[in-house]
Amino acid sequence: MPLSTLAPERPFVAVGDIHGRADLLLDLDRQIAAHCAGWPVVLLGDYIDRGEQSREVLELLMTLSAEGTPPVTCLMGNHERMLLDFLDFPERRGPVWLRNGGLQTLASFGIAPPVGTQADAVALKALRARLADTMGEAMIAWLRARPLFWQSGNIWAVHAGADPDRPIPDQAADTLTWGHADFLRRARPDGHWVAHGHSIVDMPEVRDGRIALDTGAYATGRLTAAAIAAGDVRFFQTGPSR
């Protein structure tokens, strides 16, 4: 799908997975302000886990608003979903979250991991209570309110991917936050583009109607943003390869 088919309503910026790197987010924000001042910004989810500054990232993002200047929209990622699932079902969902970066998020809130096995029901319930108390109702409510997608013209922003054969508003939440088997295999037949994170790439990619922006910031130090305008995509990135 040629870049000439890109047709947002107005230029905007999409930001890839942050994963607990508040330092990189602040660096990238300076670049966005310098090159795309006033453009709407959409963050593609996965603000927490793996990196050491999850709490700081959430506190920063909670100060932003889709009604602000510039307008900023923060989407739901699968790691936010895992945290919320842990809060709702600590015994069943806790072990999966803890194995996938939850320990770093706990540490950012000053909470030690559970003693003994992570599958211990008593320990997981106690851990859930302490985390909920430390996060506070406002932060938890903010996470629950994250939208699953954002649209500008013929470009959709989602966290993980989408079924190419279904309109994005009609897709299941799990598909948009965890991905779809056909998403990376073929382009959508409707001519729409999808900007996404979730699937780590060495460098940001523009191909087959997809704009891939997860460059593994927590491990590589490279947090990526795309400045998307009609027929054009430019990338900004933190780290030594900037």
Side-chain angles (χ1 to χ4, degrees):
M1 190 181 297
L3 276 176
S4 60
T5 64
L6 275 170
E9 293 176 5
R10 59 177 289 192
F12 71 93
V13 176
V15 178
D17 302 29
I18 300 166
H19 277 305
R21 292 297 305 265
D23 55 335
L24 302 183
L25 177 60
L26 291 170
D27 185 349
L28 193 65
D29 180 65
R30 288 188 285 269
Q31 295 185 55
I32 293 170
H35 297 283
C36 305
W39 289 24
V41 177
V42 56
L43 294 101
L44 301 176
D46 280 8
Y47 314 119
I48 62 170
D49 298 347
R50 305 197 190 285
E52 304 296 330
Q53 302 164 333
S54 293
R55 179 176 190 165
E56 292 90 333
V57 171
L58 293 179
E59 290 174 345
L60 283 169
L61 297 183
M62 286 178 67
T63 67
L64 307 174
S65 168
E67 288 74 44
T69 304
V72 178
T73 301
C74 299
L75 300 182
M76 175 76 75
N78 65 303
H79 282 262
E80 287 75 54
R81 184 70 265 163
M82 283 194 287
L83 169 55
L84 292 172
D85 286 346
F86 166 65
L87 292 174
D88 293 337
F89 311 103
E91 297 169 68
R92 286 195 285 124
R93 300 302 182 93
V96 172
W97 177 58
L98 294 173
R99 288 196 302 269
N100 285 277
L103 292 174
Q104 287 86 355
T105 295
L106 289 176
S108 76
F109 283 95
I111 299 174
V115 177
T117 174
Q118 293 179 354
D120 180 85
V122 174
L124 288 170
K125 287 181 178 179
L127 186 67
R128 183 263 175 219
R130 186 174 179 195
L131 178 60
D133 182 64
T134 305
M135 291 179 68
E137 293 181 2
M139 182 175 285
I140 295 171
W142 183 87
L143 284 171
R144 292 193 190 279
R146 295 308 88 214
L148 295 171
F149 59 83
W150 181 88
Q151 181 189 14
S152 181
N154 71 339
I155 308 170
W156 297 83
V158 305
H159 174 62
D163 181 346
D165 295 322
R166 293 177 62 86
I168 287 180
D170 296 343
Q171 306 214 12
D174 281 355
T175 299
L176 299 177
T177 53
W178 290 94
H180 188 275
D182 290 333
F183 176 65
L184 299 178
R185 297 176 182 172
R186 55 188 176 87
R188 298 182 61 82
D190 58 10
H192 287 197
W193 286 73
V194 178
H196 69 96
H198 188 69
S199 299
I200 295 177
V201 291
D202 290 334
M203 295 297 293
E205 295 180 350
V206 181
R207 57 180 296 181
D208 300 329
R210 298 183 299 271
I211 303 170
L213 293 174
D214 182 2
T215 46
Y218 70 93
T220 65
R222 297 194 303 271
L223 178 62
T224 299
I228 303 172
D232 182 62
V233 179
R234 292 176 294 140
F235 295 111
F236 303 107
Q237 196 172 73
T238 64
S241 62
R242 184 170 63 217

